[in-house]
Amino acid sequence: MGLFDFLSDKGEQKPAEPAAKPAAGGTDFFGNAAGANPATAGDSYTVVSGDSLSKIAKHHYGDAAKWHQIYEANKATIGSNPDHIEVGQVLTLPSL
């Protein structure tokens, strides 16, 4: 920025207005449905390498301790050991 950048013949200008919020049913910057929270949608999730129920809970609910809810909703798929989930399993993420 140079010295002449501060000199202007435009006088005081009104600051720019913030961008309008997206209309209902639109998408956010990342292409997600506007206003939709993935944790409350009752969506499904496909297990990838390195996942655990607590990691999935932390990502979707913001709290790793909520892994119990995911396990309870998917006991038939996971089995008796909640530590044994397999890559490719499709889990239901219950709405909280």
Side-chain angles (χ1 to χ4, degrees):
M1 194 168 227
L3 176 64
F4 293 107
D5 292 331
F6 293 102
L7 301 176
S8 172
D9 60 346
K10 296 178 183 175
E12 289 188 29
Q13 292 183 345
K14 185 176 175 183
E17 294 294 323
K21 292 184 179 181
T27 59
D28 65 6
F29 177 78
F30 300 104
N32 300 319
N37 182 350
T40 59
D43 290 333
S44 62
Y45 176 80
T46 304
V47 177
V48 296
S49 180
D51 271 345
S52 67
L53 292 180
S54 60
K55 284 181 183 178
I56 297 168
K58 175 72 174 169
H59 181 263
H60 288 280
Y61 301 124
D63 184 1
K66 296 190 188 271
W67 70 268
H68 293 279
Q69 284 89 341
I70 298 173
Y71 177 62
E72 289 300 321
N74 295 282
K75 250 184 186 176
T77 304
I78 297 170
S80 62
N81 185 355
D83 292 328
H84 185 71
I85 59 174
E86 297 178 8
V87 173
Q89 281 181 323
V90 179
L91 305 177
T92 300
L93 299 177
S95 56
L96 300 179

